[in-house]
Amino acid sequence: MKMKGGGEASKEFVLLNGRLKVRLPQGCRIEGRQRGLMEPEASGASEARMVLDRDGKRMVFFARELFSYAQDGYPEAELKAMKSLNDRGEVYRLGKAGEDVTYALRKEKPDFDGSSGYLYAVANVRQKDGSLQRVQLLFDEEFATNHAACMKMAEEVVMSLTPGGGVLPLDARVQSLPSYEEGKRYAVDVPKGYVYHMQEGDGFYIAVFEKMRRAGSDDWGGLSVFLGDHPGMSYPEYGLKKDDAVETKKAALAGSEAEWMLFEMEEGWMAEAVVPAARRGREEIFLHVTIMAPSRKEAEGLMNVARSLRIVPSK
């Protein structure tokens, strides 16, 4: 089937757990982002990357869940926010496709500076539940030398974007997590309003629970659970030392006693704890929980959520 506007042949893809539909040129394939050995791979429910390689040229389509709700006054409020793209010295045409898709399309040929990719389109897609997804379309320099063709393809892709339906699970619930122990798994009590997604790496995973918020608001917060053999504490990444903790206390975590450290940062609060979890051959597996929140009260509330982590039999 041709793309809208009589362009080249295309195929419909359903991405992000069925929540996003898009038509892309024939030959596109799914290819995850390149990551380092110790970096986790995001699940297809939270992000999707499609690649088109043609005669030594490359196009990349990238879509991800923002885990936030559209601003009040969408789409006009979002178009106003997207004007910042033009503040960078590049020129984009802003517009909307229906009432659910806002976009910025490149107008001028990029100044080639050796970058691996040049942004031709950014779009936000609002789902029926009000949540947002972000889409980006990039071309490498070899592709972008034919600027008119790239502009046409970018517009056709953006105009084909459609909400796929479905809602993010946000009810209070018990979430199951792997434990790396035969016959066992973890369970955690997730409060209402938090979305869950998993990132997996080579012999480890990170389970992330993020608070859904209105785009642009300060009502944020989240909890991550790392299970693997090389845990790395988060506080040094913020220039903090263990002695900077405003409070250190002992509390249960997944059946073990953990030392919880609570930090006040320039923007928000952080808490974390790590405990031995299991053995995998000669390797010791650790459970590491990190919490980020805008206030001490909310950080301590998420610490209570983390303390609900427990080992249960696998079904």
Side-chain angles (χ1 to χ4, degrees):
M1 182 179 292
K2 296 285 187 180
M3 298 188 77
K4 291 181 180 180
E8 60 181 89
S10 66
K11 176 182 177 181
E12 183 178 73
F13 291 88
V14 182
L15 306 172
L16 301 179
N17 232 14
R19 283 171 40 85
L20 179 67
K21 295 180 181 180
V22 63
R23 299 203 69 86
L24 295 171
Q26 293 278 9
C28 280
R29 68 184 188 279
I30 297 176
E31 184 178 289
R33 285 192 286 169
Q34 294 180 346
R35 300 174 186 271
L37 180 63
M38 296 303 295
E39 292 182 283
E41 185 76 24
S43 73
S46 60
E47 67 175 50
R49 181 175 181 266
M50 307 292 296
V51 173
L52 174 66
D53 288 319
R54 179 183 292 171
D55 302 324
K57 302 174 290 187
R58 171 166 283 200
M59 180 206 81
V60 174
F61 171 92
F62 183 69
R64 63 187 177 94
E65 295 280 1
L66 293 182
F67 299 123
S68 62
Y69 294 112
Q71 300 181 64
D72 293 333
Y74 187 95
E76 283 71 19
E78 191 61 42
L79 287 171
K80 184 177 180 180
M82 293 176 81
K83 289 181 179 179
S84 62
L85 284 168
N86 291 330
D87 295 338
R88 304 186 315 194
E90 301 173 290
V91 180
Y92 290 84
R93 174 167 61 87
L94 307 182
K96 61 180 182 178
E99 292 301 311
D100 294 314
V101 179
T102 57
Y103 62 81
L105 291 167
R106 179 181 286 276
K107 293 174 63 176
E108 297 182 350
K109 190 171 185 177
D111 294 326
F112 298 129
D113 57 7
S115 299
S116 59
Y118 298 91
L119 184 67
Y120 265 75
V122 180
N124 292 317
V125 181
R126 180 179 60 178
Q127 293 291 327
K128 291 180 179 179
D129 62 1
S131 61
L132 286 176
Q133 296 155 336
R134 173 72 47 81
V135 168
Q136 295 172 291
L137 192 69
L138 300 97
F139 295 90
D140 67 6
E141 184 170 334
E142 287 73 17
F143 227 131
T145 53
N146 189 340
H147 177 60
C150 289
M151 283 198 306
K152 180 176 176 61
M153 189 183 297
E155 183 170 12
E156 290 174 340
V157 168
V158 165
M159 295 304 171
S160 76
L161 290 167
T162 308
V167 298
L168 295 170
L170 296 172
D171 291 338
R173 62 203 182 276
V174 176
Q175 179 66 50
S176 178
L177 301 174
S179 73
Y180 294 150
E181 288 189 277
E182 187 175 352
K184 298 179 181 179
R185 60 185 173 87
Y186 287 105
V188 60
D189 298 329
V190 183
K192 182 179 180 180
Y194 281 79
V195 65
Y196 158 75
H197 55 100
M198 174 80 80
Q199 303 171 5
E200 296 188 72
D202 185 12
F204 69 97
Y205 73 74
I206 302 174
V208 181
F209 300 87
E210 293 186 51
K211 186 177 185 179
M212 285 288 290
R213 62 188 180 96
R214 186 73 55 189
S217 78
D218 295 327
D219 186 20
W220 55 276
L223 176 154
S224 67
V225 178
F226 167 94
L227 189 70
D229 58 355
H230 288 92
M233 303 305 285
S234 301
Y235 62 81
E237 299 176 17
Y238 297 88
L240 298 169
K241 304 183 295 294
K242 186 174 181 179
D243 291 343
D244 293 325
V246 299
E247 185 178 2
T248 302
K249 60 183 177 181
K250 303 287 187 181
L253 179 61
S256 298
E257 185 178 66
E259 181 182 68
W260 279 94
M261 294 177 289
L262 183 64
F263 298 89
E264 184 177 12
M265 304 184 298
E266 289 187 10
E267 295 184 7
W269 289 72
M270 176 173 63
E272 61 182 325
V274 60
V275 293
R279 296 201 68 84
R280 184 170 52 197
R282 290 183 294 178
E283 296 177 325
E284 188 167 22
I285 303 300
F286 294 88
L287 182 74
H288 175 208
V289 176
T290 303
I291 288 166
M292 307 290 285
S295 69
R296 178 169 183 163
K297 180 179 179 180
E298 291 190 58
E300 290 175 338
L302 287 172
M303 289 168 68
N304 289 330
V305 172
R307 288 196 287 267
S308 75
L309 266 166
R310 55 201 180 272
I311 290 284
V312 297
S314 295
K315 292 183 179 179

